[in-house]
Amino acid sequence: MRPLDPRLLRYARATATHLGVLVALGAVTAGLVIAQAWLLSGAIAGAFHGGAWSGLGGTVLLLALVIAGRVLVAWLGEAAAYRASASVKSQLRRRLLDHALRLGPRWLARGRTGEIAALATRGVDALDGYFAKYLPQLVLAVIVPVAILAVVLPTDLLAGITIMVTLPLIPLFMALIGMATQARTRRRWRALAALSHHFLDVVSGLPTLKVFGRAKAQADSIRRITDEYRRATLGTLKLAFVSSLALELLATLSVALVAVGIGLRLVGGDLSLRTALLVLILAPEAYLPLRMVGTHFHASADGLAAAEEVFTVLETPAPERGVRRDVPRPVRVEVAGVTVRHPERPEPAPYGAALTLTAGRVTALAGPSGTGKSTLVDVLLGFAVPDEGQVTVHGAAEAVPLGDLDPDAWRALVAWVPQEPRPLPGTVAGAIRLGAPDASDDAVRRAADAAALDDLPLDAVLTEDGHGVSAGQRRRIALARAFLRADAGAPILLLDEPTAGLDAATEARVLASLRGYADTGHLVLLVAHRPSVLTAADEVVALEPTPEPVPEPEAIRA
């Protein structure tokens, strides 16, 4: 766990500005510390040697100004730290979410949703302790001791050498403690990520768990993971308390060594009182920033561990993106020999898929489960990159490979219904209007009518994941959203099981609406199993399972 990860400078530019401010404030702080020690030692020595208090008025006034300056610099440093922390957290969250979107829903579907949610919220928030407490002390721990040694060494060589020898002991112990803390903090963070993801899954599937009597078993599992997180947290706290004690003891003994040397030489007459006081006041100030670094290290450990997890996500290679934004309006989309391999599956799916979407025609994609129908839709959406084959978009005057197009510009032409639609919380009209945010109320109503959404008022309130409405209603809300997008100008409709959960009469109305969109020049692709949907299509393309490899014949021996 590095004190300052260079990736922070790369992924959050506010960090560099904050470092510059901290260095400037650290230099001012070091100057004020030395000025305070110089004035205080002079005042005390002058008073001790019988100087009149009236003659010390100017020194006392300057000392008060120096102390006020230190308070002001400390306030400015804290304010700058929290402002920088807010900027860095905002930049990291934006980069994390943008990159997660670039990685696509298939990457998120591999158990990453809960982890990303924990990282983007509590994980990134933990950086407050790093920027507000740890990093300012880290800068001071570099600047202040060097400045103090620059003053002490010419003033009192022996005390300067003592400070030089004992100062590195504190970073050494901090490094040893940090190595022990790193493993504990990572284990604690992993426990929290597992708890977040598991709890999210349990809450999402609670109705199903209750039906099958598995809710109590999941409660036991959450209890076990929570107990692991509790033990990891307590272990980290114990280590923090022990390490703070060790660092305080080491710093105290180091200052005591300096004080003993000064006292002996002061009694022997080898050192003046003012010099002795100056060194004695500066010695604790040299160790203080290092002690505070050790104290605040544990407060920043969670933030650093979460930042490492964020960097791991940001450094995950995303699919290559095209850059062309002038997408030709498609009249035909050709899929030629598309094969997609999956790291978690031994066989590719789809394998050698080939089909053509044509304006004015409804194409149905059929085949057994596991043959890659939904994956092929992901390829058409730009969420997955084929390992073999190519998708070509044919406009009125030119043909462009899909991989050359900017994914956002391409998706602006697509209306999509996923296999398991989950409307966002809000009203039904709001969920439909996501397809075209500027659409009028009449347009939303027409899209709802096209999706046969007669049994659900448009002002009905939807909860998280659309709970409170049936699966068929959730699907028709998604269909209405896609129809509204098509009405707004999207020429392509990609619908994954659009009539699942619908009765025969409602299905017939939806299929009639789809036929109407095809007749107006839209390209329509349906992923379907129902015979009624396959019958309504102009063309049915069946994906076949991946053929098993033919064993090679044994070599003929001579």
Side-chain angles (χ1 to χ4, degrees), residues 380-402:
L380 291 171
L381 286 166
F383 290 139
V385 178
D387 296 286
E388 297 176 14
Q390 183 173 271
V391 178
T392 307
V393 179
H394 293 262
E398 60 177 331
V400 183
L402 180 59

Side-chain angles (χ1 to χ4, degrees), residues 93-103 314 321:
R93 282 196 178 102
R94 189 178 295 111
R95 281 183 173 272
L96 176 65
L97 296 179
D98 288 347
H99 195 71
L101 289 175
R102 287 191 62 190
L103 291 172
L314 293 178
R321 292 171 61 98

Side-chain angles (χ1 to χ4, degrees), residues 423-424 426-448 453 458-459 462 476-485 488:
L424 296 174
T427 63
V428 172
I432 296 173
R433 191 172 271 110
L434 286 175
D438 298 329
S440 65
D441 292 340
D442 290 337
V444 172
R445 194 172 294 108
R446 286 194 300 270
L453 197 61
L458 293 179
D459 58 355
L462 299 172
R476 280 179 285 154
I477 291 172
L479 280 168
R481 182 174 65 237
F483 291 160
L484 181 64
R485 191 171 182 84

Side-chain angles (χ1 to χ4, degrees), residues 393-416:
V393 179
H394 293 262
E398 60 177 331
V400 183
L402 180 59
D404 294 346
L405 300 178
D406 178 81
D408 295 330
W410 165 249
R411 290 171 196 145
L413 304 180
V414 178
W416 172 49

Side-chain angles (χ1 to χ4, degrees), residues 24-262:
L25 292 176
V28 174
T29 300
L32 291 174
V33 166
I34 294 171
Q36 177 182 324
W38 181 265
L39 292 171
L40 190 57
S41 63
I44 295 174
F48 185 83
H49 288 305
W53 284 104
S54 59
L56 299 176
T59 302
V60 173
L61 179 60
L62 289 174
L63 185 60
L65 291 176
V66 168
I67 293 174
R70 290 190 65 179
V71 172
L72 178 61
V73 169
W75 178 82
L76 288 174
E78 190 168 348
Y82 278 108
R83 183 179 294 273
S85 177
S87 299
V88 169
K89 290 192 299 182
S90 177
Q91 291 175 5
L92 281 181
R93 282 196 178 102
R94 189 178 295 111
R95 281 183 173 272
L96 176 65
L97 296 179
D98 288 347
H99 195 71
L101 289 175
R102 287 191 62 190
L103 291 172
R106 301 193 73 82
W107 181 85
L108 285 171
R110 290 185 232 142
R112 302 289 183 140
T113 307
E115 181 181 347
I116 294 297
L119 276 176
T121 53
R122 183 168 179 176
V124 175
D125 279 338
L127 284 171
D128 277 336
Y130 176 78
F131 280 95
K133 298 179 180 179
Y134 179 72
L135 195 56
Q137 291 299 327
L138 189 64
V139 173
L140 291 177
V142 175
I143 296 176
V144 173
V146 172
I148 289 176
L149 281 173
V151 174
V152 172
L153 279 172
T155 305
D156 185 358
L157 183 60
L158 182 59
I161 293 174
T162 304
I163 294 175
M164 285 183 61
V165 171
T166 54
L167 267 177
L169 295 178
I170 296 179
L172 176 62
F173 274 83
M174 286 171 52
L176 296 175
I177 293 168
M179 287 187 289
T181 304
Q182 182 177 15
R184 289 180 178 271
T185 305
R186 283 184 175 175
R187 190 178 70 178
R188 179 173 176 267
W189 173 250
R190 293 293 184 185
L192 178 61
L195 178 62
S196 301
H197 180 69
H198 190 66
F199 187 75
L200 178 63
D201 280 350
V202 169
V203 171
S204 300
L206 193 57
T208 305
L209 294 171
K210 292 289 288 184
V211 168
F212 290 96
R214 298 296 299 168
K216 289 186 177 180
Q218 292 301 319
D220 293 337
S221 177
I222 290 178
R223 188 178 297 110
R224 176 180 53 80
I225 298 175
T226 304
D227 194 53
E228 291 179 3
Y229 178 65
R230 178 186 61 81
R231 286 197 298 269
T233 302
L234 287 176
T236 303
L237 289 175
K238 290 177 183 177
L239 185 61
F241 294 146
V242 173
S243 62
S244 296
L245 175 62
L247 293 177
E248 289 289 338
L249 182 61
L250 184 60
T252 303
L253 292 176
S254 300
V255 174
L257 285 175
V258 176
V260 168
I262 290 175

Side-chain angles (χ1 to χ4, degrees), residues 215-461:
K216 289 186 177 180
Q218 292 301 319
D220 293 337
S221 177
I222 290 178
R223 188 178 297 110
R224 176 180 53 80
I225 298 175
T226 304
D227 194 53
E228 291 179 3
Y229 178 65
R230 178 186 61 81
R231 286 197 298 269
T233 302
L234 287 176
T236 303
L237 289 175
K238 290 177 183 177
L239 185 61
F241 294 146
V242 173
S243 62
S244 296
L245 175 62
L247 293 177
E248 289 289 338
L249 182 61
L250 184 60
T252 303
L253 292 176
S254 300
V255 174
L257 285 175
V258 176
V260 168
I262 290 175
L264 292 175
R265 283 178 291 127
L266 186 61
V267 171
D270 299 329
L271 204 62
S272 67
L273 178 60
R274 179 165 186 169
T275 302
L277 288 173
L278 176 64
V279 174
L280 194 59
I281 294 171
L282 287 177
E285 296 285 356
Y287 295 100
L288 180 61
L290 290 170
R291 287 162 53 196
M292 298 305 295
V293 166
T295 300
H296 295 310
F297 173 76
H298 298 282
S300 68
D302 282 349
L304 288 174
E308 287 190 3
E309 298 294 331
V310 172
F311 298 147
T312 300
V313 175
L314 293 178
E315 290 170 357
T316 301
E320 293 184 5
R321 292 171 61 98
V323 296
R324 177 171 173 174
R325 297 194 60 82
D326 56 327
V327 182
R329 187 171 182 84
V331 296
R332 190 170 79 254
V333 177
E334 290 186 356
V335 178
V338 167
T339 297
V340 179
R341 294 182 174 84
H342 308 266
E344 68 277 6
R345 294 175 56 178
E347 68 281 344
Y351 177 78
L355 60 89
T356 301
L357 304 181
T358 307
R361 292 175 61 83
V362 177
T363 303
L365 192 60
S369 297
T371 54
K373 299 184 295 297
S374 297
T375 302
L376 186 56
V377 173
D378 285 345
V379 171
L380 291 171
L381 286 166
F383 290 139
V385 178
D387 296 286
E388 297 176 14
Q390 183 173 271
V391 178
T392 307
V393 179
H394 293 262
E398 60 177 331
V400 183
L402 180 59
D404 294 346
L405 300 178
D406 178 81
D408 295 330
W410 165 249
R411 290 171 196 145
L413 304 180
V414 178
W416 172 49
V417 173
Q419 191 173 27
E420 296 181 4
R422 295 181 178 180
L424 296 174
T427 63
V428 172
I432 296 173
R433 191 172 271 110
L434 286 175
D438 298 329
S440 65
D441 292 340
D442 290 337
V444 172
R445 194 172 294 108
R446 286 194 300 270
D449 291 340
L453 197 61
D454 306 325
D455 55 342
L456 194 61
L458 293 179
D459 58 355
V461 177

